[in-house]
Structures are given as structure tokens and as C-alpha cells.
Amino acid sequence: MLSKLVELLSGKDALERMACLEDPDRLLDYLLTHEFLVPIRPQQFLDADTATDEELMESIEASAEATAGDAVDLWTEEIDGKIRLPAFSSPKRAEAFGAALSQQLNMIFGLGCVPVLLSDVLATQHIDFVDFNRFSKGSFELDVAQFLQSGGDDE
């Protein structure tokens, strides 16, 4: 309850407030114990200018089925040779990402997300950076590769 009140007053959720402290160790500890949202790779992208309602419904159904499965394909991106994982502190931030990316690409896609812990992601995938809340005011990145190289994976 108090966390929601602070969010209303500050405009920042708990994860964004933790990132503002600029203490990488505390942020990483937080991410190892608190879930955040990561997107599932969309099943298909539809041209925004030519997509039909039927194609859109099929795309939404395919995305829903992918989200319901046990194994999901997390949406990572390779940029400048580094693997980046988009991540979100809230569904609202995920929606902002989906809308902005859809406009940039002029494509329509279903954006499904799953809650994860950083340790679970790192146990199954190689990730160099986690990009939190891209296209939102409170965006920030976490250099996971630097953390792991410094010995931070000794849990």
C-alpha cells in the first residue's frame, strides 16, 4: 500500500526507485529477489497498413498460446554484438514499449510478457545488458556482463 502511494507521488515504481539510488549491488540484489517482466518474442509481425482484423486476431491468439506454454522464447536483441534483453518494471511500461516499437516499425504484433527473476534468466541465456523500461521516462540499463566478470555470480 505504501509502495503504491510513493509511486503515485513520485511517478516511479519500486524498481525505478531502486535504480535511482545508483547502487549497482543493491539493484542486482533486488533483481535477484524481485520479479520483473520480459517480453516473449512475437510469433509474427503484421504490416500496420495492410493487416486485416482476422490476421490481427490470429496473431493475438498465437501470442496468447506462446505465453501459456512452459517454455517461452524470450525476446532478446543483438545490438553492436551485445545481447540485450528488454525488461519492464510494470505492465504499463511494457505497453509503452510495444506501442513505441510498433510505431517505429509500422508493424502490429502481440506483446506477451512473463515475470522472471534475473537469476532464472541468467541460468538459461547469455545476456550482456538488460534494458529496463525502454521508451519510458524511467528507462535504464544494467550491464550484466560487467557484473558477472566482477565475480557477482557467486550466489
Side-chain angles (χ1 to χ4, degrees):
M1 176 87 135
L2 181 59
S3 181
K4 288 293 180 192
L5 180 60
V6 172
E7 183 176 341
L8 284 172
L9 294 173
S10 70
K12 295 179 180 170
D13 58 40
L15 177 54
E16 291 167 326
R17 290 191 306 273
M18 184 62 66
C20 286
L21 297 176
E22 296 184 10
D23 183 340
D25 291 333
R26 282 185 68 186
L27 177 59
L28 284 163
D29 287 343
Y30 183 88
L31 294 172
L32 292 170
T33 57
H34 293 79
E35 291 182 332
F36 53 92
L37 299 172
V38 296
I40 298 170
R41 187 174 308 282
Q43 298 297 305
Q44 67 182 133
F45 291 84
L46 303 173
D47 186 307
D49 297 327
T50 61
T52 65
D53 289 343
E54 185 177 309
E55 288 174 321
L56 182 57
M57 287 306 296
E58 288 173 4
S59 178
I60 292 170
E61 288 171 6
S63 294
E65 287 174 16
T67 306
D70 288 336
V72 294
D73 183 16
L74 299 182
W75 189 355
T76 58
E77 304 169 290
E78 185 173 339
I79 300 173
D80 297 330
K82 301 293 183 183
I83 305 298
R84 303 183 81 91
L85 175 70
F88 313 102
S89 57
S90 70
K92 179 176 152 183
R93 303 296 192 241
E95 289 173 21
F97 169 83
L101 195 57
S102 181
Q103 282 186 326
Q104 281 185 358
L105 299 173
N106 195 33
M107 302 292 270
I108 300 170
F109 56 90
L111 183 65
C113 291
V114 292
V116 298
L117 291 172
L118 182 60
S119 56
D120 294 339
V121 173
L122 296 178
T124 60
Q125 295 195 17
H126 169 76
I127 304 292
D128 295 305
F129 292 91
V130 181
D131 294 325
F132 283 95
N133 300 335
R134 192 184 316 164
F135 304 123
S136 292
K137 190 175 180 181
S139 65
F140 62 97
E141 74 175 22
L142 175 67
D143 185 342
V144 175
Q146 183 179 32
F147 168 71
L148 294 176
Q149 289 173 357
S150 70
D153 59 345
D154 296 334
E155 291 266 317

PDB file of all heavy atoms in Angstrom, residues 84-100:
ATOM      1  N   ARG A  84      20.958  -8.043 -25.738  1.00  0.00           N
ATOM      2  CA  ARG A  84      20.181  -7.162 -24.868  1.00  0.00           C
ATOM      3  C   ARG A  84      18.795  -7.761 -24.647  1.00  0.00           C
ATOM      4  O   ARG A  84      18.170  -8.238 -25.580  1.00  0.00           O
ATOM      5  CB  ARG A  84      20.092  -5.767 -25.473  1.00  0.00           C
ATOM      6  CG  ARG A  84      21.473  -5.151 -25.752  1.00  0.00           C
ATOM      7  CD  ARG A  84      21.362  -3.744 -26.273  1.00  0.00           C
ATOM      8  NE  ARG A  84      21.167  -2.793 -25.182  1.00  0.00           N
ATOM      9  CZ  ARG A  84      22.149  -2.171 -24.545  1.00  0.00           C
ATOM     10  NH1 ARG A  84      23.393  -2.384 -24.883  1.00  0.00           N
ATOM     11  NH2 ARG A  84      21.877  -1.314 -23.586  1.00  0.00           N
ATOM     12  N   LEU A  85      18.357  -7.717 -23.408  1.00  0.00           N
ATOM     13  CA  LEU A  85      17.039  -8.213 -23.030  1.00  0.00           C
ATOM     14  C   LEU A  85      16.173  -7.036 -22.605  1.00  0.00           C
ATOM     15  O   LEU A  85      16.463  -6.379 -21.600  1.00  0.00           O
ATOM     16  CB  LEU A  85      17.150  -9.205 -21.867  1.00  0.00           C
ATOM     17  CG  LEU A  85      15.841  -9.726 -21.286  1.00  0.00           C
ATOM     18  CD1 LEU A  85      15.144 -10.651 -22.282  1.00  0.00           C
ATOM     19  CD2 LEU A  85      16.091 -10.443 -19.967  1.00  0.00           C
ATOM     20  N   PRO A  86      15.116  -6.718 -23.375  1.00  0.00           N
ATOM     21  CA  PRO A  86      14.184  -5.694 -22.897  1.00  0.00           C
ATOM     22  C   PRO A  86      13.471  -6.224 -21.645  1.00  0.00           C
ATOM     23  O   PRO A  86      13.162  -7.421 -21.567  1.00  0.00           O
ATOM     24  CB  PRO A  86      13.190  -5.536 -24.050  1.00  0.00           C
ATOM     25  CG  PRO A  86      13.801  -6.216 -25.216  1.00  0.00           C
ATOM     26  CD  PRO A  86      14.732  -7.250 -24.669  1.00  0.00           C
ATOM     27  N   ALA A  87      13.242  -5.366 -20.689  1.00  0.00           N
ATOM     28  CA  ALA A  87      12.568  -5.764 -19.458  1.00  0.00           C
ATOM     29  C   ALA A  87      11.772  -4.578 -18.925  1.00  0.00           C
ATOM     30  O   ALA A  87      12.067  -3.431 -19.230  1.00  0.00           O
ATOM     31  CB  ALA A  87      13.590  -6.234 -18.424  1.00  0.00           C
ATOM     32  N   PHE A  88      10.774  -4.916 -18.107  1.00  0.00           N
ATOM     33  CA  PHE A  88       9.850  -3.879 -17.658  1.00  0.00           C
ATOM     34  C   PHE A  88       9.519  -4.047 -16.188  1.00  0.00           C
ATOM     35  O   PHE A  88       9.359  -5.147 -15.697  1.00  0.00           O
ATOM     36  CB  PHE A  88       8.569  -3.923 -18.498  1.00  0.00           C
ATOM     37  CG  PHE A  88       8.868  -4.023 -19.963  1.00  0.00           C
ATOM     38  CD1 PHE A  88       8.748  -5.230 -20.617  1.00  0.00           C
ATOM     39  CD2 PHE A  88       9.336  -2.920 -20.659  1.00  0.00           C
ATOM     40  CE1 PHE A  88       9.073  -5.339 -21.964  1.00  0.00           C
ATOM     41  CE2 PHE A  88       9.660  -3.023 -21.996  1.00  0.00           C
ATOM     42  CZ  PHE A  88       9.526  -4.235 -22.656  1.00  0.00           C
ATOM     43  N   SER A  89       9.368  -2.907 -15.533  1.00  0.00           N
ATOM     44  CA  SER A  89       9.025  -2.925 -14.118  1.00  0.00           C
ATOM     45  C   SER A  89       7.522  -3.038 -13.900  1.00  0.00           C
ATOM     46  O   SER A  89       7.087  -3.303 -12.783  1.00  0.00           O
ATOM     47  CB  SER A  89       9.570  -1.668 -13.433  1.00  0.00           C
ATOM     48  OG  SER A  89       9.063  -0.497 -14.062  1.00  0.00           O
ATOM     49  N   SER A  90       6.726  -2.859 -14.978  1.00  0.00           N
ATOM     50  CA  SER A  90       5.272  -2.941 -14.839  1.00  0.00           C
ATOM     51  C   SER A  90       4.634  -3.186 -16.208  1.00  0.00           C
ATOM     52  O   SER A  90       5.258  -2.915 -17.237  1.00  0.00           O
ATOM     53  CB  SER A  90       4.724  -1.637 -14.255  1.00  0.00           C
ATOM     54  OG  SER A  90       4.842  -0.587 -15.210  1.00  0.00           O
ATOM     55  N   PRO A  91       3.392  -3.682 -16.209  1.00  0.00           N
ATOM     56  CA  PRO A  91       2.684  -3.849 -17.487  1.00  0.00           C
ATOM     57  C   PRO A  91       2.538  -2.521 -18.239  1.00  0.00           C
ATOM     58  O   PRO A  91       2.607  -2.491 -19.466  1.00  0.00           O
ATOM     59  CB  PRO A  91       1.315  -4.389 -17.072  1.00  0.00           C
ATOM     60  CG  PRO A  91       1.542  -5.060 -15.765  1.00  0.00           C
ATOM     61  CD  PRO A  91       2.620  -4.233 -15.087  1.00  0.00           C
ATOM     62  N   LYS A  92       2.392  -1.437 -17.515  1.00  0.00           N
ATOM     63  CA  LYS A  92       2.262  -0.109 -18.138  1.00  0.00           C
ATOM     64  C   LYS A  92       3.522   0.227 -18.946  1.00  0.00           C
ATOM     65  O   LYS A  92       3.444   0.758 -20.060  1.00  0.00           O
ATOM     66  CB  LYS A  92       2.024   0.933 -17.035  1.00  0.00           C
ATOM     67  CG  LYS A  92       1.885   2.340 -17.501  1.00  0.00           C
ATOM     68  CD  LYS A  92       1.549   3.223 -16.297  1.00  0.00           C
ATOM     69  CE  LYS A  92       2.039   4.626 -16.480  1.00  0.00           C
ATOM     70  NZ  LYS A  92       1.798   5.464 -15.312  1.00  0.00           N
ATOM     71  N   ARG A  93       4.695  -0.086 -18.402  1.00  0.00           N
ATOM     72  CA  ARG A  93       5.954   0.175 -19.104  1.00  0.00           C
ATOM     73  C   ARG A  93       6.090  -0.746 -20.319  1.00  0.00           C
ATOM     74  O   ARG A  93       6.607  -0.347 -21.358  1.00  0.00           O
ATOM     75  CB  ARG A  93       7.152  -0.005 -18.178  1.00  0.00           C
ATOM     76  CG  ARG A  93       7.132   0.859 -16.931  1.00  0.00           C
ATOM     77  CD  ARG A  93       7.214   2.334 -17.239  1.00  0.00           C
ATOM     78  NE  ARG A  93       7.479   3.094 -16.035  1.00  0.00           N
ATOM     79  CZ  ARG A  93       6.672   4.020 -15.545  1.00  0.00           C
ATOM     80  NH1 ARG A  93       5.555   4.308 -16.156  1.00  0.00           N
ATOM     81  NH2 ARG A  93       6.980   4.670 -14.458  1.00  0.00           N
ATOM     82  N   ALA A  94       5.622  -1.989 -20.202  1.00  0.00           N
ATOM     83  CA  ALA A  94       5.658  -2.920 -21.341  1.00  0.00           C
ATOM     84  C   ALA A  94       4.768  -2.416 -22.475  1.00  0.00           C
ATOM     85  O   ALA A  94       5.138  -2.486 -23.654  1.00  0.00           O
ATOM     86  CB  ALA A  94       5.220  -4.316 -20.898  1.00  0.00           C
ATOM     87  N   GLU A  95       3.603  -1.893 -22.122  1.00  0.00           N
ATOM     88  CA  GLU A  95       2.689  -1.340 -23.137  1.00  0.00           C
ATOM     89  C   GLU A  95       3.319  -0.150 -23.864  1.00  0.00           C
ATOM     90  O   GLU A  95       3.174  -0.010 -25.079  1.00  0.00           O
ATOM     91  CB  GLU A  95       1.371  -0.908 -22.492  1.00  0.00           C
ATOM     92  CG  GLU A  95       0.510  -2.069 -22.046  1.00  0.00           C
ATOM     93  CD  GLU A  95      -0.717  -1.627 -21.265  1.00  0.00           C
ATOM     94  OE1 GLU A  95      -1.142  -0.447 -21.390  1.00  0.00           O
ATOM     95  OE2 GLU A  95      -1.261  -2.461 -20.522  1.00  0.00           O
ATOM     96  N   ALA A  96       4.034   0.696 -23.133  1.00  0.00           N
ATOM     97  CA  ALA A  96       4.706   1.842 -23.756  1.00  0.00           C
ATOM     98  C   ALA A  96       5.758   1.361 -24.747  1.00  0.00           C
ATOM     99  O   ALA A  96       5.895   1.916 -25.847  1.00  0.00           O
ATOM    100  CB  ALA A  96       5.340   2.729 -22.689  1.00  0.00           C
ATOM    101  N   PHE A  97       6.493   0.317 -24.383  1.00  0.00           N
ATOM    102  CA  PHE A  97       7.493  -0.271 -25.282  1.00  0.00           C
ATOM    103  C   PHE A  97       6.833  -0.812 -26.543  1.00  0.00           C
ATOM    104  O   PHE A  97       7.271  -0.524 -27.656  1.00  0.00           O
ATOM    105  CB  PHE A  97       8.231  -1.396 -24.540  1.00  0.00           C
ATOM    106  CG  PHE A  97       9.104  -2.253 -25.415  1.00  0.00           C
ATOM    107  CD1 PHE A  97      10.390  -1.837 -25.743  1.00  0.00           C
ATOM    108  CD2 PHE A  97       8.661  -3.472 -25.887  1.00  0.00           C
ATOM    109  CE1 PHE A  97      11.214  -2.639 -26.535  1.00  0.00           C
ATOM    110  CE2 PHE A  97       9.469  -4.275 -26.679  1.00  0.00           C
ATOM    111  CZ  PHE A  97      10.752  -3.852 -26.999  1.00  0.00           C
ATOM    112  N   GLY A  98       5.776  -1.598 -26.365  1.00  0.00           N
ATOM    113  CA  GLY A  98       5.086  -2.191 -27.509  1.00  0.00           C
ATOM    114  C   GLY A  98       4.530  -1.139 -28.455  1.00  0.00           C
ATOM    115  O   GLY A  98       4.664  -1.248 -29.676  1.00  0.00           O
ATOM    116  N   ALA A  99       3.927  -0.104 -27.898  1.00  0.00           N
ATOM    117  CA  ALA A  99       3.337   0.957 -28.729  1.00  0.00           C
ATOM    118  C   ALA A  99       4.413   1.726 -29.485  1.00  0.00           C
ATOM    119  O   ALA A  99       4.274   1.990 -30.686  1.00  0.00           O
ATOM    120  CB  ALA A  99       2.519   1.905 -27.856  1.00  0.00           C
ATOM    121  N   ALA A 100       5.502   2.081 -28.810  1.00  0.00           N
ATOM    122  CA  ALA A 100       6.567   2.846 -29.463  1.00  0.00           C
ATOM    123  C   ALA A 100       7.256   2.022 -30.545  1.00  0.00           C
ATOM    124  O   ALA A 100       7.518   2.517 -31.642  1.00  0.00           O
ATOM    125  CB  ALA A 100       7.591   3.314 -28.421  1.00  0.00           C
TER     126      ALA A 100
END
